[in-house]
Amino acid sequence: MVKEKTTEKKSVKRATAESDTTIRAVGRRKEAIARVRLQQGTGVFIINEMDYKEYFPYTELQRVAESALSLVNLRTTFDISVKIEGGGIRGQAESVRHGITRCLVTYNPELKKTLRGAGFVTRDPRVKERKKPGLKRARRAPQFSKR
């Protein structure tokens, strides 16, 4: 008796619209993972139970985190709640931007062209390279001495 294998492809949703008002997505960069929740509101931006300006003390990181909203002029249209874990502060800011971008594309697919032009839609695949045996770091070899 031969069993037939059925191959079903599971459809994976990167961003989901729970209801008419809430959109969820995940943004990643290096080791940082940001779970973003976007809903209609007045522009409140909360990261890990803190205001985003308090969480990211540097204005450059604040601009990175909100750049997707500023690009499409929707900064005061949505309330944003983010949970971040892992990575460094710069990777976290860029993961927030990636998550917000995915939410915005789910909200309005016409925004995708504008956001892609700025480079926000594509996940940055660069991660830290692993250390190799016989080397001090990933590529740094021990100092060579001829004699």
Side-chain angles (χ1 to χ4, degrees):
M1 179 180 227
V2 177
K3 291 185 179 179
E4 291 182 24
K5 291 185 178 179
T6 58
T7 57
E8 295 179 21
K9 290 187 177 179
K10 294 181 181 178
S11 61
V12 178
K13 290 185 178 179
R14 292 201 170 120
T16 58
E18 284 181 359
S19 63
D20 295 339
T21 57
T22 305
I23 301 169
R24 293 180 188 262
V26 175
R28 292 186 179 91
R29 172 72 172 104
K30 291 187 177 182
E31 293 293 314
I33 299 171
R35 293 175 290 152
V36 180
R37 194 178 84 203
L38 197 82
Q39 59 191 62
Q40 295 290 335
T42 58
V44 178
F45 197 165
I46 307 262
I47 298 177
N48 287 357
E49 308 296 325
M50 299 167 69
D51 184 55
Y52 84 107
K53 290 186 177 182
E54 193 177 328
Y55 191 82
F56 293 127
Y58 305 111
T59 55
E60 180 187 355
L61 297 175
Q62 293 169 12
R63 270 191 256 119
V64 168
E66 67 180 10
S67 58
L69 289 165
S70 301
L71 183 67
V72 293
N73 297 323
L74 294 174
R75 179 66 188 92
T76 58
T77 309
F78 295 106
D79 286 345
I80 301 159
S81 175
V82 183
K83 300 283 186 196
I84 305 177
E85 51 191 37
I89 194 163
R90 179 72 187 204
Q92 287 182 349
E94 292 185 14
S95 68
V96 168
R97 179 179 68 192
H98 188 234
I100 291 172
T101 300
R102 285 182 164 179
C103 287
L104 290 173
V105 169
T106 302
Y107 170 73
N108 184 359
E110 294 174 8
L111 299 175
K112 188 172 186 176
K113 186 175 181 180
T114 306
L115 293 166
R116 182 173 297 283
F120 298 163
V121 175
T122 306
R123 184 204 185 280
D124 192 346
R126 297 175 295 172
V127 293
K128 185 174 180 177
E129 194 173 340
R130 76 172 196 86
K131 182 191 175 300
K132 282 34 166 238
L135 301 179
K136 292 181 178 280
R137 296 193 303 259
R139 295 176 186 239
R140 170 76 170 102
Q143 187 173 7
F144 174 74
S145 175
K146 194 167 189 177
R147 289 180 188 80

